[in-house]
Each structure stands twice: as C-alpha cells, then as structure tokens.
Amino acid sequence: MHDAPSTPHEHTIMNQATINIGTIGHVAHGKSTIVRAISGIHTIRFRSELERNITIKLGYANAKIYKCDVCPRPDCYSAMNSSSPFSISCPNDSCEGTSTLIKHVSFVDCPGHDVLMATMLNGTAIMDAALLLIAANEPCPQPQTQEHLFAVEIMNLEKFIIVQNKIDLVSREQALEQKDQIVAFIKNTKAENSPIVPASGQLNINVCAILDFIVNYFPEPERSKEHDVRMVIIRSFDVNKPGCGIEELRGGVIGGSLIKGELHVDDEIEIRPGIIHRKGNKVECRPFITRVTSLQAEKNLLSTAQPGGLIGVGTLLDPFFCRADKLVGQVMGRKGELPDIFVEILVFYSLFQKISGVDKRTDKRNLITLNEQILVNIGSTTTGSTIIKLENDKVRLSLVKPACCEKGERVSISKKIHGHWRLIGYGVVLEGVTVMPVYGSD
C-alpha cells in the first residue's frame, strides 16, 4: 500500500490544489450540486444564498481525486475532501484495491444569475479550465450559458468539459435531442469537440466519468516559481467572531490564487491599489504593506504556497479592511514587484457577434458611444468607466476605480441593456495613465 507521497509533485498535491476549475452555466443548472457531488462541500454558505438557494458570491471548494489500482475506468476514479490522506481503500464496496491520490483541484463556483455576471467575470481571472453545466431539461443555450462561455473564452481558456446535468429528469430521446443542440451551440467556439458527459449531480450518476475527464483531459498548467509573486484576490474576510477579546484578535485574511511565484509564511507583501482617496480630479492610492502570518488551502496549513489552487493568506492587516470582500479586485505581491496602477486605459477592443438582449440586425459599431458609462473587468477588478475617446477599434476609458494591471492584460466589456449589465465584448490594455502609489503616512 502506497501510503506516503514520495515525489515533489506528490508532496505538493497532498497539501494544495494545483489547478483551478471554473463551474459555469445558467442559473439553477446544477453547478453547486456537481461541486458538492465531487468535493462533499456545499459552496452556498451565506444566509442570502441559503434563503434563495442560489450562488451569489464566488463559491470555492477543493477536492482530491484518487485512482484505484484494480477498478476499470471510469469507476476507478473517486474524490474526497482536501484533508484526506495520500491513499485510501477503494470506496467501491465490491473492490479491495487501493486508491492513490493523483490530482488535487480547486473549484471556482460561479453564480449563474444574469444580475451577478460581474461576480462571475471576477472568477474567470483565476480559471485554468471549466466545467460548463447545461441542464438536460431545458433548451440549449440559455442566456447565461452563452454569456458564461463567451466570458471564459475572453480569458483564453482552451479546455472544457460539458456536463449535461439533470439527466434523470428526461428520457433517453430528449437527452439525445438536447445533445445535438449542445453540439450546434459549441460549434466554432473554443469548447468545440469538448467531451459531453451526461450526469446527475443529485443522484451521483456519472460523477466518476467527470473525474476521469478532469484527470485525463485537463492538463496540469505550466507555472513558473521564478517569477515575481502575483496573487489575484477574489475574496477577503474578517475571521474574528463578534465579542472576541483584544488578545484573540487576528488580522484580515485574503483569498485567491497565486498566478505565479512562490509565497512563504513571514513574507512581506504589498496589496495594490490599496486605499483609494479622491481629491478633486486627483486620485491617491495607498497600497497595504503587511506580512504573511499563515497560508492555508482549506484545512491544510502550508509553509509555502505554489501557483494554482485557491488559498487563504493570513495577514497583519486591520480586519476592517478585509471584511465583506472589501479587497476583491486588488492584486497582491512582494513590495515593489507589482504592476502599475491605472486610472485611465486605452483598450484595443472587439464586440461579440451575438449579444444577449440585442437584435441580431443591430449595427454593432453603434453599440458604444462617446461619454457612455460601461463596465469593465480587469483581472478580478470590476469597475465602472467612461468612454472619453473612441476611434476605429480603440477606446480610451476613464476608470471609476483604479486598477492594478499590466499592458497586454485582457479585459471584458459590459453595457447596460434593458436594465441589466450584458457582456458585449473584450479587449486588450495597450497603454494608460498611471498614478504613483503613496507609502507611509502624511
């Protein structure tokens, strides 16, 4: 029985996920249910979410995937929570084999409701691959099925698994008919030729087949530990309970994924843009400078965090600045190594041919106009912006909220159509107007 990791890669995946998988698709198509079927974790955690039984904030869950040395594919694959040991007895009752850890994944569970599109776009910043959930009992595509696929295509995702969920609610003929709709829908997209897995998250049907494709179809992303540390923040928390004593107070916690570099406990870090002050037309950004007090991947404590996987970073920050996701959209790294802070950007942009809520005959060139307010997502930052210059395929935007980003970074563009923000296109940051960060007190 192989009961301990023996290679550096095995040691890494024992403690931390190494790939981020987004779960995307229309509202109530079973994204959170599939994540729970794989990881055992219910990503709907907040009272507002539980009352309405929908995902509102980005959910997250880690899972370890095991392979049995006896069972045939796909039955040889099983999943456990991230605290599980390196090897376990095969969970299939009729098998006496040993299942060994082969992959450790993080799920980024996105809300499917159209009014939460900006939250979903924040999650795309850290995805390496995606499960696209399509409910078998509804026609395909639904509006957010299309919008979510466009959104992850913007971020250059190449690998998808299509999960035809709720297969237990339809007949074989209906399932095959909808499969033809799915094939037609993904034609000429990056999801074309992706595997389509019929499944039921509620009844745990074909979950092992989804795991098979996660292991064998999603490649391990190539990441360098040599680069400057860069972490995209998608959550932030005050972990202190009300009424706790001053001697028990803990600093704020930030959650997200390392894009590159290696982070250690006790590293000095910077978070940009930090606290933002506006004085008339001038913008002042005061980045946070703090120290890493702990690193955690779900319940696993780490001394070093590698790129990939969702982690929580304990800091010495005043918890006030972290509570209720206040730091979402900011970028963390070592002091002095982070990109510039932009207040204005020039974007080379393209608009989609199909836009939800817009007639196909509408001239797309007139969809955005000078001085119009539009929404842009840069990394995990969502900010309003004003179009201050528009020529050919370039648009210059004045940002409501400064963004820490690099030239060449991809952005998504949304416009308010019939009262809802709709994803209409994407672009690349060419240049912009930056502000120098201010350190220390006045």
Side-chain angles (χ1 to χ4, degrees):
M1 187 169 178
H2 189 187
D3 53 8
S6 58
T7 68
H9 176 67
E10 288 176 349
H11 276 282
T12 298
I13 64 171
M14 180 63 196
N15 297 308
Q16 185 191 334
T18 55
I19 180 171
N20 296 325
I21 300 172
T23 55
I24 61 174
H26 194 70
V27 63
H29 277 206
K31 297 179 292 295
S32 300
T33 305
I34 285 289
V35 171
R36 184 170 59 181
I38 293 172
S39 68
I41 292 171
H42 196 28
T43 56
I44 297 176
R45 303 177 185 185
F46 294 84
R47 179 184 292 176
S48 56
E49 297 178 310
L50 291 165
E51 285 171 355
R52 297 163 65 185
N53 195 31
I54 61 168
T55 304
I56 295 174
K57 296 174 179 285
L58 284 173
Y60 50 92
N62 289 359
K64 286 177 173 174
I65 301 176
Y66 293 82
K67 184 179 182 181
C68 173
D69 55 4
V70 175
C71 293
R73 287 176 61 183
D75 295 332
C76 59
Y77 294 104
S78 58
M80 304 282 285
N81 64 52
S82 64
S83 303
S84 303
F86 186 72
S87 62
I88 58 173
S89 297
C90 179
N92 294 329
D93 294 338
S94 57
C95 176
E96 295 181 359
T98 298
S99 292
T100 306
L101 176 65
I102 54 168
K103 209 173 188 80
H104 196 167
V105 302
S106 279
F107 289 102
V108 184
D109 188 24
C110 296
H113 204 285
D114 60 348
V115 298
L116 300 167
M117 193 64 195
T119 304
M120 181 270 162
L121 289 166
N122 290 345
T124 65
I126 62 169
M127 292 178 194
D128 300 308
L131 300 181
L132 174 58
L133 273 287
I134 298 175
N137 61 337
E138 292 186 23
C140 173
Q142 293 294 307
Q144 270 58 59
T145 311
Q146 181 172 294
E147 272 195 310
H148 281 201
L149 182 56
F150 285 168
V152 292
E153 284 191 309
I154 290 170
M155 302 311 290
N156 268 345
L157 257 67
E158 302 284 349
K159 289 289 187 178
F160 300 85
I161 298 169
I162 316 294
V163 179
Q164 189 184 20
N165 194 30
K166 305 189 181 185
I167 203 75
D168 53 307
L169 300 182
V170 296
S171 68
R172 176 183 172 82
E173 291 71 27
Q174 288 171 314
L176 289 170
E177 183 183 336
Q178 199 215 33
K179 187 197 170 191
D180 292 337
Q181 294 176 2
I182 294 171
V183 171
F185 164 60
I186 61 178
K187 192 176 168 90
N188 299 323
T189 72
K190 288 183 180 176
E192 189 172 14
N193 300 321
S194 295
I196 301 172
V197 184
S200 169
Q202 285 283 14
L203 300 182
N204 212 32
I205 295 169
N206 258 3
V207 171
C208 59
I210 298 171
L211 297 176
D212 190 327
F213 279 110
I214 289 174
V215 171
N216 297 299
Y217 185 70
F218 285 165
E220 202 70 25
E222 290 183 21
R223 309 187 199 271
S224 171
K225 301 172 191 172
E226 310 304 319
H227 286 111
D228 298 342
V229 171
R230 190 75 44 79
M231 177 176 168
V232 175
I233 300 174
I234 62 167
R235 302 297 300 269
S236 69
F237 314 89
D238 171 5
V239 294
N240 299 292
K241 289 186 167 58
C244 74
I246 195 165
E247 66 285 343
E248 298 170 332
L249 273 176
R250 293 160 63 193
V253 175
I254 55 176
S257 187
L258 279 178
I259 304 302
K260 55 185 181 179
E262 212 173 55
L263 191 64
H264 308 88
V265 172
D266 215 37
D267 278 354
E268 186 180 42
I269 55 170
E270 175 179 353
I271 299 171
R272 287 190 180 184
I275 300 172
I276 300 161
H277 292 293
R278 289 192 176 272
K279 298 177 180 176
N281 292 327
K282 288 189 177 180
V283 178
E284 181 183 278
C285 296
R286 293 181 174 270
F288 296 103
I289 304 295
T290 185
R291 193 169 291 282
V292 177
T293 58
S294 65
L295 293 167
Q296 198 160 334
E298 280 198 350
K299 295 179 181 176
N300 299 335
L301 290 172
L302 311 172
S303 57
T304 301
Q306 313 283 349
L310 299 172
I311 57 170
V313 180
T315 71
L316 296 173
L317 285 174
D318 185 331
F320 169 81
F321 294 115
C322 296
R323 69 174 48 159
D325 288 331
K326 283 184 180 178
L327 293 185
V328 168
Q330 307 230 12
V331 181
M332 183 270 277
R334 291 199 183 93
K335 183 178 178 181
E337 294 180 354
L338 287 170
D340 290 329
I341 302 169
F342 288 88
V343 290
E344 198 176 286
I345 53 174
L346 178 66
V347 173
F348 179 85
Y349 76 98
S350 297
L351 299 180
F352 297 133
Q353 289 301 309
K354 294 180 186 174
I355 297 169
S356 186
V358 174
D359 192 292
K360 293 177 184 175
R361 294 163 292 185
T362 303
D363 187 348
K364 302 295 187 292
R365 289 172 297 181
N366 300 326
L367 204 58
I368 57 175
T369 55
L370 200 62
N371 298 320
E372 185 180 6
Q373 308 284 315
I374 60 173
L375 202 66
V376 290
N377 284 77
I378 312 167
S380 65
T381 301
T382 303
T383 176
S385 65
T386 304
I387 298 173
I388 55 177
K389 193 173 183 182
L390 191 60
E391 55 178 53
N392 299 326
D393 45 14
K394 295 187 182 73
V395 60
R396 186 171 285 275
L397 302 169
S398 174
L399 304 178
V400 172
K401 187 164 63 177
C404 177
C405 67
E406 295 180 286
K407 292 175 184 175
E409 198 158 322
R410 294 170 79 86
V411 303
S412 58
I413 301 167
S414 302
K415 171 187 168 83
K416 197 163 251 190
I417 298 170
H418 305 312
H420 294 299
W421 289 105
R422 296 293 189 192
L423 188 63
I424 62 167
Y426 64 97
V428 175
V429 177
L430 299 175
E431 59 174 43
V433 176
T434 62
V435 292
M436 290 298 293
V438 178
Y439 298 101
S441 54
D442 290 327

